[in-house]
Amino acid sequence: MLDTQNAPAAVPALIRREEYRPPDWLVPEIALDFDLDAARTRVTARLMVTRNGVHDRPLRLDGDGLTPRAVRVNGVATTDWTLEAGVLVLPINGATAEVETEVEIAPETNTQLMGLYASGGLLCTQCEAEGFRRITFFPDRPDVLSRYRVKMAADKTLYPVLLGNGDLTGSGDLSGGRHWAEWTDPFPKPSYLFALVAGQLFANRDTFTTKSGKLVDLAIWVAEADLPKTHHAMDALKASMKWDEDVYGREYDLGQFNIVAVADFNFGAMENKSLNIFNSRYILADPDTATDMDYDAVAGVVAHEYFHNWSGNRVTCRDWFQLSLKEGFTVFRDQCFSADQGSAAVKRIEDVRVLRAAQFPEDAGPLAHPIRPDSYIEISNFYTATIYNKGAEIIRMLHTILGAEDFRKGCDLYFDRHDGTAATCEDFVRAMENASGRDLAQFRLWYGQAGTPRITAKISGETLILEQTLPETPGQTDKQPMLIPLRLALFDRATGGHAGEQLVLLDKARMELPLPSGGGRPVLSINRDFSAPIIVETDRTAEDLAFLSAHDDDPFGRYEAMQQLMLDTLVGAARDGAADHTAVVTAVGQTLANNALDPAFIGEAVLLPSEAFIGDQMAQIDPEAIHRAREALRRDLATRLAGQWEAAYHAHAAPRFHYTPEAKGARRLRNVALGYLAAAQADHAGALAFRQFEAADNMTDRLAALGTLANGDAVERPAALQAFYARYQDNPLVIDKWFSAQALSSRADTGAAVAALRDHPDFTLHNPNRVRALAGAFSMNQLHFHAADGGGYRFLADILLALDPINPQTAAKLLPPLGRWRRVDPARQALMRAELERILAAPGLSKDVFEQASKSLA
Ligand code: PHE
Ligand code: ZN
């Protein structure tokens, strides 16, 4: 129940998927005229509207914070309109009309970063999901597709570059030092894909020739000083364009493709038609400032936004409940792209780690929702790990069930059928069904049922017994069994091999599979390559897991066996205060010694599960016990395998930075080894880490050393933090790392340190990256976020409340960790709930935060 006593004056309305109705009016054409200025921008919009169907309802144009300065219908000024909660309501006679409105907006005071806003010296836009209504009056819903012609005028010195969607169709000088440009986009698009950018930008230019021989001009626009940091993004863009042709047969469809990097951005990036706008952290990369992880993220996000040109733009979403139609599919596409660029095994491990860290807790908490939600208060709250990452797993399962060939046929059919329209998740599944001839009725349950399925797999005599259950989630109690594709193999202990992998489609609550007779009890490798986004419980012994960690030919299965072995040990230790580490030490030692394995893989496999993931396995999270158990195992691994860590550390040293998969893998393993060396004996390791910190010729090694030092008590710690700050104080993206390294520390003084960092002159609530670097990172520090005195909860709630009036979207995204109160002891529960109550009671709370806080208390 919502606590209506504390709710905002009017409880914000719930929007329901069932209530979808086609738009009353369509807008086939729009001409926009921007007179740009940071303080006062005049926007004139001319809409060609047509009545959709037979009805006599007025035209309703969404607006948010807009006041019409003029309204004209068919060229005639009118006052026959009303404003209803921001919406401009206008009676129209006849089936079509030309409607013109004029408004004024103030980009420089737009702190929400939705609509037209200023970032650095730039003017830029963000319209998804509902930002266009902050720019002009318009039916701001994704099923209204229009052809856009956009004219903009601005001061030529402040804004020498003027960019829009589509093609440049005119430009020239104006009096008073101003100039203008006109952009025309031939592809009809929903308003959320509109974009413009104006500013002092410099381009890294390149070209791409499509498979049918069309030349595309590519440009990545940044501040002049950042140009050298755009090459990796450009390489990724060209590789993505080629990959989408090779793997999906999809070609780019315009003569130019522009990317702009901005410093202040609520999300990662935005796929506006031919004018992608990026959070600069996903464009800028060079060895001195970006880690290998950053490089991967840049390539992944560049690919993601590029792939949206088909999965999102050419075929868009009918309504926001269908968001996973474009996001889940596009994440799956970018994951496969990245897998193809380097180690597919390591990429899969990373993707599963993200899913487990971000999505499983969501599915298990008060904000759980299906990948196609049934209702929302504020759509911005639904850009979640469930929609994106679980959504990608649903598409991956279709790929697994249908096979690559039929999956591709299904995609072709989907793009063919729905090109130029706004589609639904159902349209996608139907295309898959029609192309493959398979019945996907039961598979559709993945779209509607929230929660992570739990599978148990047990071998009893000569039978494999599989059972599935789906936990209750808010609003969903009675769940149906899902269709779960399980890749599995049965290993022969004696030979170390298996007779072939099978794909089992578990479609009932319980299933029994006969095992081949004779040959003794096999070792079960199940959910190989993480074939379904589920939790698997087996009756495998430590010995079975050790066997798989050494023999499974599925790299994910091998990694998973090691993780399970570690988890079993750690959960036992957190519960009982101690555990026998022998099995883990042996398995890690063997993995380190296995020269046949890719070092990048070894680096992943020998890492202990995070404290948060250990907590997720326990009925109740005990942050201190988990930390102690994990540290004890880490120290034991460090000391008992000290020689092997030393050897790995030195064997993988590189004289000079290279950006290749092999060099990345070596850095990964070396830095994991550094972490263990530091765990063994702090003194020696402090000096070692500090040497690496100072000598590093790349950010991966420097930051790994800084992280190791920031986490401990070595005497070198203050000097390293100081030197890092001094070296990078002019680079906000690197200073974000400096904030995060301290916020993630397990040192006892971390609570006090983050409080002090909030008062640091470089901390600002106006830059979402900076807020996430401090408060977001701290909320993932399980040990200190859950400090017994509630100081961690209070810190997060304080920042959230200070941010809400400035940027409600980013504020709301800080909230979910406070909603996980059911997972801790009663004393902490009371402290967490008290912070949620305090948030809900704040006057003038945004509906973004209201939705998250009220649902979290329910
Ligand atoms: N559609 C963007 C993406 O997935 C994400 C985004 C959503 C960006 C909302 C900005 C605002 O790439
Ligand atoms: Zn996306």
Side-chain angles (χ1 to χ4, degrees), residues 397-398 400-401 443 446 483-487 503-506 527 531-532 534:
M397 286 192 286
L398 278 173
T400 301
I401 294 169
F443 186 82
W446 282 105
L483 180 68
I484 299 177
L486 289 169
R487 291 187 200 259
L503 178 64
V504 171
L505 299 180
L506 173 61
N527 208 27
S531 56
I534 56 174

Side-chain angles (χ1 to χ4, degrees), residues 529-546:
D529 202 36
F530 202 70
S531 56
I534 56 174
I535 294 167
V536 185
E537 281 161 27
T538 68
D539 55 358
R540 292 176 298 190
T541 61
E543 194 194 328
D544 292 342
L545 295 171

Side-chain angles (χ1 to χ4, degrees), residues 114 126-129 192 265-271 277 301 304-305 308 323 326-327 330-331 380 383 388 809:
M114 284 292 278
Q126 173 53 43
C127 293
E128 188 179 6
Y192 82 87
F265 201 77
N266 283 338
F267 284 80
M270 181 62 212
E271 70 263 25
I277 298 180
V301 178
H304 180 97
E305 306 311 330
H308 268 317
L323 182 57
K326 73 177 176 81
E327 296 304 346
T330 304
V331 171
S380 298
Y383 287 76
Y388 276 68
Q809 226 177 72

Side-chain angles (χ1 to χ4, degrees), residues 814-833:
L814 295 177
L815 194 129
L818 282 172
R820 308 220 174 98
W821 53 271
R822 278 192 187 77
R823 306 279 306 118
V824 291
D825 56 86
R828 287 187 171 93
Q829 289 199 3
L831 292 164
M832 293 177 86
R833 291 186 54 102

Side-chain angles (χ1 to χ4, degrees), residues 442 445 449 468 479-483 506-510:
Q442 190 185 7
L445 290 169
Q449 297 194 141
Q468 62 162 305
K479 313 239 184 171
Q480 306 301 306
M482 304 261 232
L483 180 68
L506 173 61
D507 59 357
K508 296 180 196 61
R510 181 187 165 96

Side-chain angles (χ1 to χ4, degrees), residues 521-597:
R521 185 187 159 91
V523 185
L524 176 66
S525 168
I526 189 168
N527 208 27
R528 308 181 98 215
D529 202 36
F530 202 70
S531 56
I534 56 174
I535 294 167
V536 185
E537 281 161 27
T538 68
D539 55 358
R540 292 176 298 190
T541 61
E543 194 194 328
D544 292 342
L545 295 171
F547 171 91
L548 289 171
S549 83
H551 292 105
D552 202 332
D553 55 340
D554 172 44
F556 180 79
R558 193 185 268 257
Y559 160 84
E560 185 74 337
M562 180 84 94
Q563 287 285 299
Q564 194 60 52
L565 195 58
M566 291 168 167
L567 275 177
D568 291 350
T569 304
L570 288 163
V571 169
R575 194 189 45 223
D576 309 333
D580 180 0
H581 295 157
T582 315
V584 174
V585 174
T586 309
V588 169
Q590 278 174 2
T591 301
L592 278 172
N594 189 339
N595 294 325
L597 296 173

Side-chain angles (χ1 to χ4, degrees), residues 22-35:
D24 280 341
W25 291 86
L26 301 175
V27 188
E29 308 268 347
I30 173 171
L32 283 163
D33 204 319
F34 287 86
D35 204 2

